[in-house]
Each structure stands twice: as C-alpha cells, then as structure tokens.
C-alpha cells in the first residue's frame, strides 16, 4: 500500500506543473472550508483565543486565508518529490548566510530553531547546498508504516539532509562527529514530559509550554543558537533569515534560549498569521496549577535540567 501511495499517487502528481497543483489545492481549500471542515473548529478556536480583539468577520477571514495557505503548501510539498535541488534553492534562499560564515569556516556545529510556519519542507530541501561545508540535520517523527517512512525520509534526505528520528536524538549527539546545522522545529505542543521539564511562558496571550530539548543540547554541547525565520514572498517563493540568539549558550541564563525562540515565533505569527499551522492543537495540554500560580510573579518558567541531562 505504501508503494502504491508513493509511486502511483505522490510521484505522478509531482510531475504536474505547479500551477495545476495550485489549482487543485485551491479546490481542496474551498471544499474543506465549505463542505469537509477538517479541523475547522480547532483553527477558528485557536485564532479566537490568540487574537481576542478580532471581530468574528476577521476570524473567519483569517481562517479562510489559512486554509488557502495550507493547501498551497501541500501542493508545493507534492511538487518537491520531483523538484531539483537547484529549483528548491531558487524558490527558498537564505538571504544572510554570511552571518554564520565564521561557524562554517571553523567547522563548528550550531542549532537552528524553526517553526511550523510557511513551507518548512521546501526549506529542508534547499538548505544543504546553501550551508556547506556544514551538513544539515533534521529531526522528524517516524511514520507508523515503515515502508512509507523510508520512502518519505529518502525524499527528504536526497539533497543531503541527515534525518534523525526524534527517538534517536540523544544517540545522534553521542555518535555524530561532522560539523552540522541541527534544525529543530520546536513550536509543537509537548505531550509526555512532566511540567517541570518544560519551558512555560505566555505565547499569543495564553499560558503555553515549550519543549526545552534544543536548549539543553545547546548548553550541554556548547552549540551556538540561531532562529531561522522563513517568510513567504509570493506563491512558491520564500526567503529565510538567520537571527542570532546566542553564540555562547553556556553563558546564558536558564530559559533564555527557549524564551527567545518563543518570542521570535510570536513576532512572525503576528506579522503574517496565515502562514502558521493553526490546525495544530497547540493548547491541548492543561496548565498545572503550580505553573499558573508561579507565572503570576514570573515572566516565564525555565525548564529544570542539569548540564549532563538531555532527557526529552
């Protein structure tokens, strides 16, 4: 079944011209908004909570715009199965890669924070050639179907990305030796960690938990940290901008790195809200009473971790 999906559906669709895929995406966006309603309640609820000053008309307008962008991104992601590396770079370029030139020259690994914003899949395809001689590592959640996981991971890694399962991140840090840009898409809702192991802050006006794994790894392995802002210029074209967080993670206060990431993501969402993944159940985790009480007196609550502790 996985081979059928990949070779008889995804690959043939990817050979269609992008304007045709966009036309299909527009049709699905209309169908979803007016008929299917995939996670429509979640999307509109998230928007209302995040922008309480919006009128209902503004909420609905942003909701429709979100689905247009969502299916636009799906169309582009399908096209990527047959897109050349040169085309991906032309469509998604890093405008200030010289900012990390000193790290490239030193052969020093660094962490790049990203979010479920704009077309992060296209970014993964285009970044390896723009960041050489550093390698590019991307963390992902494996599919339950092993065959489909292998096929999709193979496509993601065909331009040189090192795909690392989220279950094997600790193993990666203990065994990998090449200088690498380690990408974390880290704005998802944490699921299993105890609240003390999470970073708590106010995000889009709501008490929100963030995973602190990237900060822990940055501190333990002395990785400089940058935020990678990915902005849509027009349909099919994006520009990425590196924004420094710290080159000296061990000299920062606990929580500074994760809090800086949260603030960067929030600014990007407010700048262009339709490009964020509103269909994600971001605030499904209940806020513990201890957190609510402590945040009355603190700007944020940093995660508890030791220098030699990389427990996710």
């Amino acid at each position: 079944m996985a081979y059928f999906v990949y070779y008889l559906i995804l690959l043939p669709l990817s050979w269609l011209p992008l304007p045709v895929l966009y036309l299909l995406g527009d049709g699905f966006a209309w169908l979803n908004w007016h008929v299917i309603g995939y996670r429509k309640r979640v999307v509109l609820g998230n928007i209302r909570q995040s922008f309480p000053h919006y009128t209902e008309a503004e909420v609905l307008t942003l909701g429709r715009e979100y689905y247009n962008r969502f299916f636009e991104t799906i169309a582009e992601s399908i096209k990527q199965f047959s897109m050349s590396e040169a085309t991906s770079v032309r469509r998604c370029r890093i405008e200030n890669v010289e900012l990390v030139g000193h790290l490239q020259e030193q052969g020093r690994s660094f962490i790049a924070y990203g979010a479920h914003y704009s077309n992060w899949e296209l970014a993964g395809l285009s970044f390896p050639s723009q960041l050489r001689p550093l390698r590019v590592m991307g963390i992902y959640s494996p599919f339950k179907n092993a065959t489909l996981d292998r096929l999709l991971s193979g496509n993601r890694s065909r331009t040189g990305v090192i795909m690392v399962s989220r279950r094997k991140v600790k193993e990666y840090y203990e065994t990998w030796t090449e200088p690498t840009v380690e990408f974390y898409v880290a704005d998802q809702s944490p699921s299993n960690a105890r609240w003390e192991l999470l970073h708590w802050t106010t995000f889009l006006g709501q008490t929100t938990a963030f995973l602190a794994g990237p900060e822990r790894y940055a501190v333990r392995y002395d990785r400089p940290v940058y935020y990678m802002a990915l902005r849509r210029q027009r349909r099919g074209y994006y520009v990425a901008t590196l924004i420094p967080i710290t080159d000296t993670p061990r000299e920062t206060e606990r929580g500074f790195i994760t809090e800086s990431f949260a603030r960067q993501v929030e600014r990007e969402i407010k700048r262009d809200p339709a490009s964020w993944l509103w269909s994600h159940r971001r605030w499904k985790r209940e806020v513990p009473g201890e957190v609510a009480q402590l945040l009355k007196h603190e700007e944020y609550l940093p995660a508890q971790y030791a220098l030699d502790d990389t427990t996710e």
Side-chain angles (χ1 to χ4, degrees):
M1 185 62 179
Y3 283 106
F4 173 82
V5 170
Y6 187 80
Y7 287 108
L8 296 182
I9 297 178
L10 292 177
L11 273 182
L13 279 175
S14 75
W15 296 330
L16 292 173
L18 199 47
V20 175
L21 290 173
Y22 281 142
L23 189 63
L24 291 173
D26 291 342
F28 276 108
W30 184 93
L31 189 65
N32 185 78
W33 182 257
H34 292 284
V35 181
I36 301 172
Y38 167 73
R39 290 200 175 182
K40 188 174 179 179
R41 183 176 297 179
V42 173
V43 169
L44 297 181
N46 283 340
I47 293 171
R48 289 188 187 103
Q49 290 173 216
S50 301
F51 302 107
H53 59 286
Y54 273 21
T55 65
E56 189 60 17
E58 289 173 322
V59 169
L60 295 174
T61 296
L62 177 53
R64 283 193 295 270
E65 188 178 358
Y66 164 70
Y67 279 112
N68 289 336
R69 295 280 184 88
F70 178 74
F71 284 99
E72 174 183 282
T73 301
I74 289 178
E76 293 167 356
S77 297
I78 290 173
K79 186 63 181 175
Q80 287 165 218
F81 284 97
S82 60
M83 183 181 290
S84 70
E85 183 176 11
T87 299
S88 72
V89 172
R90 182 167 56 84
R91 289 183 172 273
C92 185
R93 62 181 180 83
I94 304 174
E95 67 173 357
N96 64 336
V97 71
E98 69 279 356
L99 193 67
V100 293
H102 63 295
L103 300 176
Q104 292 171 303
E105 291 174 3
Q106 296 167 12
R108 186 180 180 191
S109 297
F110 71 92
I111 285 174
Y113 260 124
H116 290 94
Y117 189 86
S118 291
N119 193 334
W120 60 91
E121 292 284 355
L122 179 59
L125 197 66
S126 71
F127 284 173
S129 63
Q130 299 182 72
L131 289 165
R132 291 190 182 109
L134 301 180
R135 300 290 301 276
V136 171
M137 181 271 275
I139 299 169
Y140 77 105
S141 295
F143 289 89
K144 292 182 179 179
N145 184 296
T147 301
L148 187 61
D149 180 67
R150 179 172 55 80
L151 291 169
L152 295 180
S153 295
N155 184 72
R156 285 171 163 175
S157 62
R158 64 188 172 89
T159 60
V161 177
I162 306 154
M163 300 301 299
V164 176
S165 165
R166 62 181 177 82
R167 304 185 187 99
K168 297 184 177 181
V169 177
K170 187 176 181 180
E171 179 184 328
Y172 159 84
Y173 277 103
E174 291 176 347
T175 59
W176 189 261
T177 57
E178 291 185 51
T180 307
V181 185
E182 297 151 358
F183 274 94
Y184 287 84
V185 178
D187 58 331
Q188 66 269 43
S189 177
S191 54
N192 300 321
R194 302 196 317 271
W195 73 262
E196 299 95 334
L197 300 177
L198 301 174
H199 181 99
W200 293 87
T201 189
T202 301
F203 178 72
L204 294 175
Q206 301 159 83
T207 301
T208 307
F210 282 84
L211 290 166
E215 176 177 321
R216 290 197 291 267
Y217 287 117
V219 172
R220 182 177 187 186
Y221 294 98
D222 197 25
R223 300 291 207 252
V225 183
Y226 290 74
Y227 178 74
M228 183 69 84
L230 183 62
R231 298 176 179 179
R232 177 183 182 272
Q233 292 183 305
R234 63 185 189 279
R235 216 174 212 196
Y237 290 88
Y238 301 84
V239 62
T241 306
L242 284 158
I243 300 172
I245 293 179
T246 179
D247 266 13
T248 54
R250 291 179 178 174
E251 297 177 14
T252 62
E253 293 184 2
R254 186 189 302 266
F256 170 82
I257 293 172
T258 309
E259 183 67 15
S260 298
F261 167 70
R263 300 282 70 83
Q264 289 288 354
V265 177
E266 186 177 60
R267 279 192 284 271
E268 290 299 302
I269 293 170
K270 289 180 177 179
R271 184 192 63 82
D272 179 16
S275 289
W276 197 47
L277 192 63
W278 291 102
S279 51
H280 177 56
R281 292 187 174 92
R282 183 63 181 87
W283 292 279
K284 63 184 178 181
R285 187 185 181 100
E286 184 178 351
V287 179
E290 300 96 324
V291 171
Q293 188 65 32
L294 290 168
L295 282 178
K296 291 179 180 180
H297 310 287
E298 303 290 342
E299 184 178 352
Y300 59 85
L301 298 180
Q304 297 178 13
Y305 63 88
L307 182 61
D308 60 351
D309 175 24
T310 54
T311 305
E312 285 293 336

